[in-house]
Every structure is written in structure tokens, then in C-alpha cells.
Amino acid sequence: MRAIVVERFGGPEVLELVEDAPDPVLGEGMALLEVSRAGINYADTHQAEDSYLAPTALPFIPGVEAAGRIGGRRVVALLPQGGYAQRVAAPAMTTFDVPDAVDDGTACALVLQGTTAWHVLRTSAQLRPGETVVVMAAAGGVGTLAVQLARSFGAGRVVAVASSPEKRALATELGADATVDSAEEDLTGAIRDACGGRSDVVLEMTGGPTTAACLATLAPFGRLVIYGMASREPTAPVDLGRLTVRSQGVIGFWLAHAMRDPARLLAGPMTEMLDLVARGELRAVVGDTYPLAQARRARRSSWARRTVGKLLLDPDA
């Protein structure tokens, strides 16, 4: 089968197209998924350069999201790895049926980034009706869904932070009440102004000084949920005493923990979001779809953060 194989750690240059990679070996509780679309996730860049939260052994086929068919079933699956290929071994516990009204690219957008957006709002932030939510990287795969889900979950005001006029316009189209340029010199002040004073919930995945700027916007009882570090810059230590004085919280989120109990923590969110999409009440923004042979180009675009929405690979193109 055709697949992208990584045999050394590094940047996009380590993504090698192999025309005769061996078919996946099916372990217990797995089925062979014929891949029509593989999702590109920003964490893939960390995995390929060996800077991810969990260690990776060489060689490997990247990709933790894939949609396609298992026999006659249309499905989407969360994978340990192996999605950048024509076929992959899909764990039954993290494989979900896709309704006819939802296309494969949209399903890929929901299975990891959608469930992340759902959990950072519902599980980690425990968003309450009427609260003000700030979504960083609001034009990305998680951000575009988080803007809409925050509104669906009862947020009183949604503020989207993004790096270009086009990205901010997209966030407005998706339901954001206000937008902020992420390059603002006084990012804290700009977010406060857009919030009308203070934020209740901030969804942050940039890291570095951006995290501190976001934390400074929180109202009493506000929560900052951090679920990534796209800038690869270290975040300053959080002063626990200041959190106490201000009655604030900083919460980390990693979807891997939800994957340990998918029946309880993934099946419900997937059913809810697939239904919202089918009813036209949630839009998964699908960006570019690249042939498998252009995985390096896709990775460079993702790394440079030039893209919007969900990026995909077509293994048969």
C-alpha cells in the first residue's frame, strides 16, 4: 500500500512516500479501514520531530484520524498512528459510524479536533450559560468548532483571536461576537476590550507569552484551559498564590485521557456533533485536501499556520 513513513525525526523533510509499505497488522479488537481521507493534526508535527507529549518509536506512519470504510460501513476512527496510508488498523472502541448526511472530511474534523473542542468547553472549563469565552487560534481546526460549540452551549459572548483579517472574518461568520488580532502589542488589553472587561473562559493552545497574556484577562472564577503549545515556546510558571487571590483556575487538557474510556468520553460527543452537522447547526470548516505525495507541503502549511480549518490527505490521489 502507499503510505507516508517516518524513519528519522525532524521537520517536513522526514515524511517519505513509500509505494509498497506493508499492510497493517490487525490486533485484537481492530478492523481494516480503507482510508478515503486522513486528517492532518498540528500535533503530528510534534510527533515527527519527537517533541510530543508521548514518546514515539521509529519507524512509524503518522496520522491519528482517518475516515473511510470497514466493509460496507462508513466510519471515522481515532488511531494510535498509521492514518497517512491507504489502509490502517482501526480500534473498534474509537471507531464511529458516519451518517449519510456527513462527508468524510467533516467526520475527520470532528473525531479529534471536534472532541477536543467539546471537552475543553464542557469537561475542563465547565462552561456556564451567559459566560464570556475567548477562543485563541479561532480559525484552526479546534478553534472553528469551539467558536460554534461555545455559542451552542450557551455562552453569552464569544471572542475569537486570530492572526489575519481573513481568519477573523471566518470567525465572525461562524458566530463570534468580536475578534482580536493575535499580533496586538497589548494582547491582554485588546482581549479585555473585546470581552467588555474580563473573560470567564479562555481556550489557549499557543503557549509562550500568549498564555500569560490570556491569563491576565480572567475574571474572578475564570478558567484558562490550555490544550497545546503551537509556538513551541515555554510558558512562564503560574503563581499559585495569585490564582488563589483571584479565584482563578488553569486547567490542562489532552484528548489521550478521553481515549482511555471512549465509550463514556468520546461516543457521546461524537453522536452529538454528528447530529448537529447533519441538522445544519454545526459547520466543520474543511480546508485544503492534499494528495498523499504532498504530505510535506501540507505539513509546511500547517507548521507555518497559514491554513484555516481542517487539513486532509487523500491517499488515492
Side-chain angles (χ1 to χ4, degrees), residues 203-220:
L203 308 182
E204 152 63 351
M205 51 77 69
T206 308
T210 298
T211 302
C214 291
L215 182 58
T217 71
L218 289 182

Side-chain angles (χ1 to χ4, degrees), residues 65 76 78 96-99 101-103 106-122 141-142 144-150 152-153 253 255 258 265-284:
E65 311 146 302
V76 64
L78 269 177
F96 309 96
D97 289 308
V98 177
V102 180
D103 62 59
T106 294
C108 271
L110 297 179
V111 74
L112 188 151
Q113 290 166 321
T115 54
T116 295
W118 193 100
H119 274 293
V120 293
L121 286 164
R122 285 283 203 208
V142 175
T144 51
L145 291 163
V147 166
Q148 298 172 78
L149 288 174
S152 178
F153 295 164
F253 177 79
L255 191 67
L265 297 174
L266 293 179
M270 280 298 294
T271 298
E272 180 179 344
M273 289 186 293
L274 287 167
D275 185 55
L276 287 170
V277 170
R279 299 201 315 258
E281 297 175 18
L282 178 66
R283 171 187 166 195

Side-chain angles (χ1 to χ4, degrees), residues 193 195 207 226:
D193 288 345
C195 290
I226 186 160

